Amino acid sequence: MSANEIPDELWRKILEIGVKSSAFSYKDLCCISITSRRLRRLSSDDCFWDLLLFHDFPTHIISASSSQSPTKFIYKTRFERDKERKLAAHRRALLRKESEISEWRRRIRELESRLSEEADRLQSASLEFSNLHKVRQASVALKVWQPEVVRGRQKQLVEQNAVPVEGRLRALEMEIKLCKQQIMGVNRQLREVKHRFDIAIKELESMKYHPLRDYKPIRSGDQGSTSKTKKLKTSINYSGDQVSNSKRKKLKTSINL
């Protein structure tokens, strides 16, 4: 029996069951309508598009002027309007994400600048601490006998220093310790900010690659069919594993015999 021999009532029943069970979407009805003139006429029936309009746009209110138009045209108008709304929301989301990335980039530059300043302070403090440590060693060495040449160099080094050595050394020790703590904290913040920056970049790329994954909202029937498919696959795999295990046991038994 060919498709042309199927009566219109049976085709309408097939389409009605498909739409009511959420097996057919607007895409399916559009694909069916281009196969033949007969199916185009049948798939354009208002009863099918009324169901789709109720399922896909439950908040839609039919006005008196639009009630005179075909339901397929109303669905198309509502679909285009919803598509434009989603595209506008997507553009706003892109702008927000780009603004967020700019803020993370500014924060990274700020932390890197602060890290560079702290590293310069640490280097300067370490150099001054090393020089004062040499001055303290020279002042201690002046109290013991030394050759005149060495003693003159050490005396000159001590005389060139105009600050109290011990107090300044303690202050430099505290400053070096504080700089190291600051550098550790800034490095930790920088790693966290860079991690968030990378996540934002990936999210932006994903948003640009998939601006609108699907205009049709997920209905409960789709979720039910997906769960049934998963259960069916699991049961098939489980039964297959049982059969293969029984075959292995039989093979081992025959080998042992």
Side-chain angles (χ1 to χ4, degrees):
M1 186 176 183
S2 63
N4 294 327
E5 298 175 356
I6 299 176
D8 290 351
E9 291 77 12
L10 185 56
W11 273 118
R12 285 195 182 93
K13 193 63 178 177
I14 293 172
L15 294 175
E16 183 181 357
I17 292 172
V19 173
K20 283 185 177 180
S21 63
S22 301
F24 287 171
S25 64
Y26 72 95
K27 294 180 181 178
D28 299 315
L29 285 184
C30 291
C31 291
I32 290 172
S33 66
I34 63 175
T35 55
S36 66
R37 294 180 180 178
R38 182 188 179 194
L39 289 179
R40 178 181 177 84
R41 175 176 54 83
L42 293 173
S43 62
S44 299
D45 198 337
D46 285 347
C47 64
F48 306 135
W49 291 98
D50 283 334
L51 292 171
L52 287 175
L53 188 64
F54 175 75
H55 281 299
D56 294 344
F57 307 107
T59 59
H60 178 72
I61 300 174
I62 301 177
S63 60
S65 59
S66 63
S67 61
Q68 300 175 359
S69 304
T71 312
K72 185 176 182 180
F73 176 77
I74 298 174
Y75 185 95
K76 180 181 178 182
T77 305
R78 184 68 176 85
F79 176 81
E80 293 295 336
R81 192 181 305 158
D82 191 64
K83 179 181 177 181
E84 291 176 0
R85 181 186 60 81
K86 288 183 178 181
L87 287 173
H90 175 257
R91 286 192 292 268
R92 290 194 298 270
L94 280 180
L95 291 175
R96 285 195 297 269
K97 186 59 67 175
E98 289 174 352
S99 176
E100 179 185 348
I101 290 173
S102 301
E103 181 62 25
W104 287 126
R105 189 178 286 115
R106 184 195 64 80
R107 181 65 175 158
I108 288 173
R109 289 196 299 266
E110 180 183 341
L111 289 174
E112 287 177 346
S113 176
R114 185 179 170 189
L115 185 63
S116 178
E117 292 176 0
E118 292 294 336
D120 292 340
R121 284 180 56 192
L122 178 61
Q123 184 179 2
S124 177
S126 300
L127 183 60
E128 186 179 357
F129 182 85
S130 177
N131 293 332
L132 286 178
H133 187 66
K134 292 178 181 178
V135 171
R136 186 173 65 176
Q137 288 178 342
S139 62
V140 173
L142 286 175
K143 298 178 181 179
V144 298
W145 182 89
Q146 288 184 358
E148 192 64 29
V149 178
V150 178
R151 186 178 180 85
R153 291 177 184 172
Q154 293 175 347
K155 186 176 181 180
Q156 184 182 3
L157 187 62
V158 173
E159 289 175 351
Q160 287 177 352
N161 182 53
V163 296
V165 178
E166 296 299 329
R168 183 58 181 164
L169 281 175
R170 286 194 294 270
L172 286 173
E173 285 180 357
M174 293 297 294
E175 186 175 354
I176 290 172
K177 188 181 295 184
L178 180 61
C179 286
K180 289 181 178 179
Q181 291 176 356
Q182 291 289 337
I183 288 174
M184 289 177 61
V186 172
N187 274 325
R188 185 164 54 249
Q189 293 180 14
L190 187 60
R191 285 195 299 270
E192 183 179 354
V193 170
K194 283 184 176 181
H195 177 66
R196 294 184 180 181
F197 176 77
D198 293 337
I199 291 176
I201 289 291
K202 291 179 181 178
E203 289 176 351
L204 180 63
E205 291 175 354
S206 177
M207 291 169 66
K208 287 183 177 180
Y209 187 73
H210 299 289
L212 289 176
R213 294 177 183 272
D214 192 4
Y215 300 123
K216 181 187 67 174
I218 297 176
R219 299 198 290 267
S220 59
D222 298 335
Q223 293 177 349
S225 61
T226 304
S227 61
K228 288 179 182 178
T229 305
K230 289 182 179 179
K231 289 180 181 179
L232 181 61
K233 287 181 179 180
T234 306
S235 61
I236 291 173
N237 292 333
Y238 181 70
S239 60
D241 293 338
Q242 286 183 334
V243 172
S244 58
N245 290 332
S246 61
K247 286 182 179 179
R248 291 194 190 98
K249 287 180 181 179
K250 289 180 180 179
L251 181 60
K252 287 182 180 179
T253 306
S254 60
I255 291 171
N256 293 330
L257 292 174

